[in-house]
Amino acid sequence: MTETLTIAQFYLEGKNSGKVLGLICDKGHTTVPPRHSCRVCNSTQLTVKELTGRGKIVSFTEVYAKSKDFPLATPYTLALVELEEGGNLLGVLDEKGTSLGAKVKVNFRIIRSDSAQPTIFFQRI
Ligand SMILES: [Zn+2]
């Protein structure tokens, strides 16, 4: 069976229910954010699965540049998080100061009044 999950559906579900949806291929790899094929083996035999939204920080950086398209107080921390099931998400850390390996959970949040697409935040757990 093959199911599809678009980026728009991924963000809509996150905004509406807080759920983090990913795609699982027939070999068990997790792909998130969603793509048309498995990020590991390129299989297109995919099913949609709700993920835990939990993971650990594998990389992070401080952002000092202001942007009207991304209205956050600077500096903020942008982090790359490897989810428990596999796959990586990029998002904003809720708090200042972190370390590699810190455990976090995904938290979708709207930061622009003119856009329905939420931004991925991570909070420490
Ligand atoms: Zn795969």
Side-chain angles (χ1 to χ4, degrees):
M1 184 172 72
T2 298
E3 296 177 327
T4 59
L5 178 67
T6 65
I7 287 283
Q9 290 168 328
F10 170 80
Y11 279 108
L12 186 67
E13 188 67 30
K15 185 182 80 166
N16 290 343
S17 71
K19 290 179 182 172
V20 179
L21 298 182
L23 291 166
I24 311 296
C25 80
D26 50 336
K27 296 184 183 68
H29 307 128
T30 301
T31 297
V32 64
R35 303 173 10 163
H36 68 282
S37 63
C38 173
R39 70 184 168 87
V40 179
C41 69
N42 281 323
S43 169
T44 55
Q45 300 298 306
L46 304 169
T47 54
V48 176
K49 183 184 172 193
E50 182 183 347
L51 308 177
T52 62
R54 291 193 299 266
K56 65 179 182 191
I57 294 174
V58 293
S59 184
F60 65 92
T61 187
E62 295 286 309
V63 178
Y64 288 86
K66 288 186 184 299
S67 164
K68 67 177 171 58
D69 294 327
F70 207 65
L72 290 179
T74 55
Y76 60 87
T77 305
L78 201 57
L80 185 66
V81 168
E82 182 182 299
L83 297 183
E84 286 179 346
E85 298 91 344
N88 295 321
L89 286 177
L90 190 64
V92 179
L93 270 188
D94 252 353
E95 57 190 72
K96 305 254 182 283
T98 190
S99 57
L100 293 178
K103 295 196 183 317
V104 295
K105 188 174 188 345
V106 173
N107 180 7
F108 292 92
R109 206 177 297 162
I110 298 284
I111 62 169
R112 287 179 55 172
S113 57
D114 62 341
S115 171
Q117 181 169 305
T119 297
I120 295 171
F121 281 77
F122 298 112
Q123 59 186 95
R124 292 288 291 269
I125 52 173

